Amino acid sequence: MIKLSTGVFSPCSNISLLQGSSSSGLFSSKSKSKSKVGAGSHSNLSLKANSSSWKSEGINNINVGAGSNGVGIKDKWMEFQGIKNWEGLLDPLDDGLRDEILRYGEFVEAAYRCFDFDTATCRYPKGSMLSDCGSVGAAAGGYKVTKSLHATCGVNLPNWTQRIVSPRSSWIGYVAVCDDKAEIARLGRRDVVIAYRGTATCMEWVENLRATLTCLPCDMAPHKCESMVQSGFLSLYTSSAAGGPPSLQDSIRWEINKILQKYADEPLSITVTGHSLGAALATLTAHDINTTFKHAPLVTVVSFGGPRVGNKNFRRQLEKNGTKVLRIVNSDDPITKVPGFVLEENAPQRTSSNGPGGLSKWLHKRMEDTQWVYAEIGKELRLSSRDCPHLSNGNVATCHDLKTYLHLVDNFVSSNCPLRATAKRVIEQTSGDQATAFV
């Protein structure tokens, strides 16, 4: 599978750096979230609306946007969801697709804002979650949260560690269904969103470090397909604890089954989005939905800053069952380059079994048999903060921050013309914030 790279660009060459004011960016200031550092989403960077253009071109415009040819989302939604693998939409980046990517990024940001770092739970009731967290874009778009999602660490630690580590199970995201008639008409279908935050607890870090590949369980893979994924990600997706919430997998299956039955007679799409660890879980979730429900609607992953998830057999299975994956990658973000390593599949090899080419082929095969050889999956929108004056010296937290990703997406035009003249977001360096990198 050929992955699309849209090149390196300089998104911030003529954008001013704003200091000394509170962050507005994606959400309104009425948010009740605490000031703790989020999982890659709340580092020392925040986004601020450009006062000269935000009111007319800001978040509300995303909800009424159209492609570069003036075609509404309802006419191109299947293309934006990857039915044609985003051919012709990534370089240059179609304005309608850009708005959709940013819109799904807001759902991920909402997952960060809803998370209570002290209790590892959601701080808002399900019925008002999106509005309570200040989610302007998602709430205005007419989505209703129907399910809270929890992930459970499958590692059994000694009992004495319970006092010093976070709970085994923690709130990690939600399912939201578009229930507004006007928004459904604008989108051209009823959209179901599954959104995940990134790593935020010690137990999730424990799973992140379990980086070797392991086989998918039988109910997630055909017999002898040899699909393998990262051990820790699979554990978080399938594990449950006695007396705790059901596994993330069971919650997803129950909720999607209910949704498919309820809306069986209308156009439907399922979009799974996440940042960092959430991006990996989004990929597993989309694969599981397409494997479990044989007549599932179009299932699409929109991921931000995700690590590698599985081997090339897993990638083949994703392609076979029709799972569409769009990976938003900052080439300066090291998290997107782990775990394991990727072997070059298109490198020419000699056929002689006795010469260097034969040795290379043999070594290639032996390495593939290990539990460390991963494969890149899906289509890739590759961005870079390297040439941005205000990001070029950024640390890992800056490069991995969700706000950095949304900023880069918002400014990208193409590999030949990298900067959008009417940028809607600028980077604000917020003093006093602690920067922490999360996977």
Side-chain angles (χ1 to χ4, degrees), residues 39 115 117 120 152-155 157 161-170 197-210 236 277 438:
F115 184 68
F117 291 87
T152 301
C153 174
V155 178
L157 298 178
T161 63
Q162 295 181 3
R163 295 183 178 180
I164 59 175
V165 300
S166 56
R168 287 185 60 190
S169 296
S170 58
R197 60 166 177 79
T199 307
T201 71
C202 295
M203 299 304 288
E204 290 164 2
W205 268 112
V206 170
E207 294 287 30
N208 288 339
L209 297 176
R210 298 173 62 192
L236 283 171
L277 167 64
F438 290 86

Side-chain angles (χ1 to χ4, degrees), residues 12 135 188 228 290 306 359 362 402 410 433:
C12 306
S135 175
M228 303 180 75
N290 269 331
L359 178 61
W362 176 87
L402 176 60
D410 195 37
D433 285 351

Side-chain angles (χ1 to χ4, degrees), residues 373-395:
V373 179
Y374 285 74
E376 305 292 4
I377 62 174
K379 281 286 187 177
E380 181 179 275
L381 176 60
R382 180 166 288 273
L383 314 173
S384 177
S385 55
R386 186 182 311 137
D387 296 326
C388 175
H390 311 306
L391 296 175
S392 58
N393 296 323
N395 54 21

Side-chain angles (χ1 to χ4, degrees), residues 59-265:
I59 205 82
N60 291 330
N61 192 46
I62 293 177
N63 287 330
V64 295
S68 57
N69 296 324
V71 179
I73 293 177
K74 66 179 182 179
D75 300 313
K76 294 186 66 175
W77 73 265
M78 295 189 75
E79 292 183 49
F80 292 160
Q81 293 295 112
I83 192 67
K84 297 180 180 179
N85 293 316
W86 297 281
E87 293 296 338
L89 297 177
L90 297 178
D91 192 4
L93 181 59
D94 181 272
D95 283 340
L97 177 59
R98 180 204 321 279
D99 288 346
E100 286 295 273
I101 294 172
L102 293 173
R103 190 169 68 91
Y104 289 122
E106 292 160 11
F107 285 99
V108 181
E109 183 72 13
Y112 279 120
R113 285 179 173 264
C114 289
F115 184 68
D116 189 319
F117 291 87
D118 293 328
T119 62
T121 61
C122 180
R123 62 183 60 183
Y124 305 115
K126 184 179 67 175
S128 59
M129 181 188 304
L130 295 179
S131 58
D132 286 349
C133 78
S135 175
V136 176
Y143 284 77
K144 179 182 179 181
V145 175
T146 62
K147 185 73 173 180
S148 284
L149 302 173
H150 297 77
T152 301
C153 174
V155 178
N156 291 314
L157 298 178
N159 292 333
W160 61 268
T161 63
Q162 295 181 3
R163 295 183 178 180
I164 59 175
V165 300
S166 56
R168 287 185 60 190
S169 296
S170 58
W171 185 90
I172 200 164
Y174 58 92
V175 180
V177 179
C178 185
D179 65 348
D180 180 79
K181 291 183 179 180
E183 181 67 359
I184 292 172
R186 185 187 75 87
L187 295 175
R189 85 286 187 189
R190 188 184 297 272
D191 188 33
V192 179
V193 173
I194 303 171
Y196 295 122
R197 60 166 177 79
T199 307
T201 71
C202 295
M203 299 304 288
E204 290 164 2
W205 268 112
V206 170
E207 294 287 30
N208 288 339
L209 297 176
R210 298 173 62 192
T212 56
L213 290 163
T214 188
C215 290
L216 283 172
C218 295
D219 62 343
M220 291 183 67
H223 182 57
K224 296 182 179 179
C225 76
E226 298 181 348
S227 292
M228 303 180 75
V229 297
Q230 198 255 26
S231 302
F233 301 155
L234 182 62
S235 175
L236 283 171
Y237 186 67
T238 59
S239 297
S240 60
S247 70
L248 181 55
Q249 181 184 48
D250 286 342
S251 295
I252 289 293
R253 290 181 175 183
W254 293 337
E255 189 63 19
I256 293 301
N257 181 62
K258 182 179 69 175
I259 290 172
L260 293 182
Q261 290 184 15
K262 184 175 182 179
Y263 304 112
D265 59 344

Side-chain angles (χ1 to χ4, degrees), residues 266-298:
E266 59 183 279
L268 197 68
S269 67
I270 299 175
T271 309
V272 197
T273 185
H275 172 245
S276 200
L277 167 64
L281 293 176
T283 304
L284 290 177
T285 298
H287 170 73
D288 191 33
I289 291 172
N290 269 331
T291 302
T292 304
F293 303 97
K294 301 305 180 185
H295 301 289
L298 183 59

